Amino acid sequence: MSFSGGRNRPPGHYRALMSAMLALAMGLCDAASAAPPYDQGGAVTLSPRVRFLPLEAQHDPVDLSARVPSLMNYRVIEAGTPMPQAYVVSGSEGRLISGAGDQIVARYVQGRPGQRFGLYTPGTLLKDDQGRVLGQVMIRQGVARLERQGAPLSTLTVEKSPREVSAGAQLMALDDWTPPRQLVPLTAPAGTRGQILDRPGAGRIVGLRDIVVIDLGRHQVTPGMRLRVQGEPEEVSDPVTGGLLALDGGVLGELMIVRTFEQTSLALVTRAGLPMATGDRVEATLDD
């Protein structure tokens, strides 16, 4: 019996093994030559790319369904249009504040039993930069149904009231405007410029999803148009020359036109990057 016979290998086996080892060594050499030359003191320059994903795609439909009730609560009486004459005198039993389900009495009501009226309180008187009156904001306190017309007082029932109905609230026939559930963003014409006139019933500071009034009417904008809110330029002092330099105010946010009137429009704030307020400028967007 030979103990060395089990270790004998055919010559072809060794040649195949040597070829495989040689191929592996050559591959390692190629990888080393292709790798960054860290051992030679070389430097590798990286060029990262940042992909910006906006909160809302610029051209996707904007869902307004959550804001429909609020949009129904604001309207503008155009300059030159007579103000409503009918007004609430009191609630039942002489109450000054009423709510849904309560009866109210009002003066100068013209209508038929069953007719529905909006109950409004005047908001901001809208004026342009030259002081010219553009219209009057009206804020709806509720909706009432006429039960009995009388002279001088008529009786109505408050059907719904997002706000308390107070004595002195003015009655207006409900308009036939229905807020859209969605709006497709549109490009405003180049050179479109205006300003935020009012944030109805809510002070000067403007934030995301707020409804605002701007001084651009139906002849300048249409529902769906996007406008950027532009910050005012500021002056800074040059530390070397001491002179004053103008610093761009930057883009504060973005809004979308929702409803147009003759000289004004309602808009929804769809983006808010920096604090905004009434009086800020609005312009055509830069990225269209």
Side-chain angles (χ1 to χ4, degrees):
M1 179 179 294
S2 173
F3 292 97
S4 62
R7 289 191 291 269
N8 292 336
R9 297 290 187 270
H13 175 80
Y14 293 106
R15 285 197 296 269
L17 181 60
M18 291 298 294
S19 297
M21 294 178 64
L22 180 61
L24 177 61
M26 292 179 65
L28 291 175
C29 291
D30 290 340
S33 61
Y38 295 109
D39 56 343
Q40 300 176 16
V44 177
T45 301
L46 300 179
S47 300
R49 285 185 172 182
V50 177
R51 185 183 180 191
F52 176 70
L53 296 176
L55 295 178
E56 297 174 354
Q58 298 288 347
H59 301 288
D60 287 346
V62 176
D63 184 9
L64 302 178
S65 56
R67 304 301 296 166
V68 165
S70 296
L71 290 168
M72 293 290 289
N73 291 335
Y74 308 114
R75 62 193 292 185
V76 175
I77 298 179
E78 302 284 357
T81 302
M83 292 290 290
Q85 297 299 309
Y87 61 90
V88 175
V89 174
S90 71
S92 58
E93 301 178 354
R95 287 180 298 188
L96 299 180
I97 300 296
S98 301
D102 293 339
Q103 284 199 334
I104 57 176
V105 291
R107 196 172 188 183
Y108 302 130
V109 178
Q110 298 294 325
R112 62 187 184 280
Q115 184 174 349
R116 299 166 73 239
F117 294 85
L119 305 170
Y120 292 87
T121 183
T124 301
L125 187 65
L126 305 173
K127 298 181 180 181
D128 63 13
D129 289 337
Q130 287 72 45
R132 183 171 59 98
V133 175
L134 302 179
Q136 172 76 62
V137 173
M138 302 296 287
I139 303 171
R140 193 169 75 179
Q141 294 183 336
V143 175
R145 182 183 68 253
L146 179 60
E147 302 291 352
R148 183 177 65 256
Q149 184 178 6
L153 298 178
S154 299
T155 303
L156 302 95
T157 299
V158 179
E159 291 187 340
K160 53 185 178 181
S161 55
R163 298 174 175 84
E164 294 177 329
V165 178
S166 58
Q170 297 174 308
L171 279 73
M172 297 175 61
L174 295 175
D175 60 6
D176 56 1
W177 180 73
T178 301
R181 295 283 173 174
Q182 284 188 336
L183 275 177
V184 176
L186 302 174
T187 302
T192 301
R193 291 183 177 85
Q195 73 175 102
I196 299 175
L197 296 178
D198 187 35
R199 180 190 173 203
R204 293 190 63 251
I205 303 303
V206 175
L208 186 64
R209 303 299 180 187
D210 281 344
I211 297 167
V212 297
V213 183
I214 65 172
D215 63 347
L216 299 173
R218 61 172 56 99
H219 301 293
Q220 299 153 298
V221 292
T222 59
M225 282 188 178
R226 297 164 43 228
L227 298 169
R228 75 179 191 270
V229 183
Q230 183 68 39
E232 293 296 329
E234 299 179 3
E235 289 187 339
V236 295
S237 177
D238 188 312
V240 176
T241 66
L244 294 178
L245 301 174
L247 180 65
D248 193 327
V251 177
L252 307 181
E254 188 174 293
L255 52 81
M256 173 180 283
I257 305 299
V258 178
R259 184 181 186 183
T260 58
F261 301 94
E262 188 66 23
Q263 300 182 85
T264 59
S265 295
L266 291 179
L268 175 69
V269 179
T270 56
R271 295 171 185 268
L274 294 171
M276 295 172 283
T278 57
D280 285 341
R281 292 182 294 129
V282 296
E283 302 178 357
T285 54
L286 294 171
D287 54 353
D288 295 315

